[in-house]
Amino acid sequence: MARSRVAVAIVASFLLLLLAAQFVDFSSSLGGPAFLRHVSNSRTPEETTTTAVGDQYLIGVGKADITGPVVELNLMGYANASQIGTGLRQRLKSRAFIVGDPSNTNDRFVYLVLDTQSGDTAIRHGILQGLQDLGPDYSVYGNQNVAVTGTHSHSGPAAWLNYLLPQITSKGFDKQSYQAIVDGAVLSIQRAHQSLTEGRLSVGSTSVEDSNISRSLYAYLANPESERNKYNDNVDKNMTLLRFTRDSDGKDIGILTWFPVHGTSMLGNNTIITADNKGVAAYLFEESMANSSSAAPGFVSGFSQANVGDTSPNINGAWCEDGSNQQCSFQNSTCGGKSESCHGRGPYFGLNDGGTKSCFEIGRRQYAGAQAALSSMTSSATALSGPVRHFHLYHNMANFTFPKTYSNGTTIDAKACPAALGYSFAAGTTDGPGAFDFTQNDPNKPNASPVWAVVSNLLHAPSGTQKECQYPKPILLDVGETHLPYEWTPNIVDVQVFRVGELAIIVSPGEATTMSGRRWKAAVSSAITSNKIFSNGAEPLVVLGGPANTYAHYIATEEEYGVQRYEGASTLYGPHTLDAYINVTLDNLALLSDSAATNNPTAIVGTQPPINTNRSLDFITGVVYDSAGLGKSFGDVSSDVEPSSSHIYKTGETAVVQFVGANPRNNLRLEGTYTSVEMQASDGSWSQVRSDEDWDLLYEWKRTNEITGTSSVTISWEIGGGGKTDVQSGNYRIRYYGDAKAPITGKITAFEGVSGVFEVGA
């Protein structure tokens, strides 16, 4: 998560909080037809209907809409208060995957992949409450066996997180944004549950070489050379794929993948809601499987994160945008000593599109990698055999002490600290640089002006014990010991692992860096083997997914922490953070053994974290009213497409229409759409061929006058874009679905608008 301009926001918020404290109750490129052929016909029925071997499991998949307010709300990820949503390119989804033992109800887990920046404590709490409200059929799903992961997109609505720090730049907590995620996630689980069927699970993998790079190579190189030499790359290039195949007809019902790349393809100047590169990958995969005889209707593809912490989709590297056109400093990612102009470049850098084309391309490459992995599984796959197990516990990291043994045999009493963020946290990253005089790589003594030390102490002055514990991190924000008006960041984290057969899934609450993920997975694999967790002696397959359940920022290795680039400065619990996670994980690993007793899915282990949904600050102004303007009606066309008499549109062109609009926050149209493209049939009837789930259809909203309440909506169809090059010749029109809020009464009324007819030719 990039924290651009976060420092100034914190200063402003401090003054705001002093005021708020007076009245707050603190108790409470796709290119051409060849690619389309690859998408539609990439696998033959013979390649995909091979009966899987291995044990039989209960499997289910489901998907639902979680798109929150697409305008007038801060986007979550870059922490840039000026990055306010202005429209929608792609609806956000929750994708649910259920795995269970057909003979034992409690041996079951749910793995959620949300198109959000991360999992979250409040979101997870709301999901669990929602499942309880569904009745006894859903009592099997609870605290122990539900994982809530985010794709780490930086282009979705904000204002839904539990803790204060990420709420600052979004002006607080918005219940509409929060509820859209919770309700959609619950619906996706409900659909997965209703689809449960007996089937098989198999695991395959492939290398995706061109979708991620290290954005903190200087820190990565601080890890021991002997350890680095075990791996071919400085970021993980391997994609792991879990395939869900039902027994009744041998059809695939879904896939779940793990691959590490930041959801920062959409840049910090983008204001359009998308699911970033992993949303593109999932969209393309599901579109391709809709045309495949090997897939069941309702096929769901989940593209989960892995050890994402120091990865970037901006694969052309970081360059200075100050006119010098030089690469940024290797040590601290600066240009002339400043961070602001150092930016990572994606594959289509240079286009004034907020990163849209680069985003689509990085998503396409992950999609292609998943297709390659799935296609190869007929000859090289592991069919899973063995029980379903799970565990979850809440663990307080603050002042947690545990034994740590170094490679030379030395053992110390290591300690995790109350959460704190270093000065380099405010410097941001090459994906989203910070501001002022903060720079990365500042161990022990901060490079920033002494003024920031004063600001830091105004919020909470860290004690000598805290400074010693966090050393060599110079503490900018002592967030773990700041409790007013409520907690700023979590000290209590979720430690969770799932097992199905030979596959173990570490569910990480933070963004583990490349080497942190490698160490964590290696430790789990070694412990499973040495402790004979798998009774059949099978070699474990270990993956790591996250950020999940709560957002605990970063998890760097001790060596990377010592460098204090952004990832180390954002590692909350001190230099031993990673080892603390590993220690707690290994201490509970026996719960995954074949002989372990079935866990109660609703059991609570450890002190529960605070839930702040009903006491969070909220300075987000709601919709006051809408007006069409004098002599106009909602849905009227202000600027139309070009008629057939004057122009025939072709692939590569964009049809644009503007309507008299209303605020889309009046109705999120979940499971619906704000806009559609319709095609005319030979009998004169019209049918929908595009919705706002499709990448090539862009919805933009603009407030034209705040006093009169007027606004406009512009809808653009990029013909033949978004991977859909199969546009047929014929007559089309664009429809707009809106909802207007009346003054005085506040009544919300739906309306529609439709463009003129236009022709698309070959």
Side-chain angles (χ1 to χ4, degrees), residues 176-252:
Q176 186 185 42
S177 182
Y178 164 83
Q179 204 64 51
I181 300 172
V182 169
D183 290 348
V186 171
L187 181 57
S188 70
I189 296 173
Q190 190 174 13
R191 288 172 172 167
H193 178 81
Q194 291 169 349
S195 79
L196 284 171
T197 185
E198 293 175 336
R200 314 284 165 160
L201 297 167
S202 51
V203 177
S205 65
T206 193
S207 181
V208 183
E209 297 293 334
D210 53 0
S211 296
N212 63 357
I213 63 168
S214 175
R215 69 183 189 192
S216 277
L217 184 56
Y218 184 78
Y220 177 84
L221 293 176
N223 294 306
E225 182 179 10
S226 58
E227 184 179 31
R228 290 185 278 112
N229 287 341
K230 297 176 183 178
Y231 305 97
N232 294 327
D233 297 289
N234 50 46
V235 292
D236 281 348
K237 301 288 186 179
N238 187 69
M239 174 184 284
T240 301
L241 183 147
L242 179 62
R243 177 184 182 182
F244 292 69
T245 308
R246 67 187 184 193
D247 281 348
S248 60
D249 56 8
K251 290 183 181 292
D252 293 336

Side-chain angles (χ1 to χ4, degrees), residues 281-300:
Y283 166 77
L284 290 176
F285 208 104
E286 289 167 356
E287 287 288 306
S288 73
M289 298 308 279
N291 299 316
S292 172
S293 60
S294 67
F299 182 97
V300 177

Side-chain angles (χ1 to χ4, degrees), residues 114 157 214 343-344 394 404 725 739 752 755 761:
L114 307 181
S214 175
H343 290 266
Y394 292 117
K404 174 178 177 177
T725 57
D739 301 88
E752 295 181 14
S755 75

Side-chain angles (χ1 to χ4, degrees), residues 487-498:
E487 287 77 3
W488 283 51
T489 57
N491 280 323
I492 298 172
V493 298
D494 303 68
V495 179
Q496 187 174 41
V497 182
F498 292 159

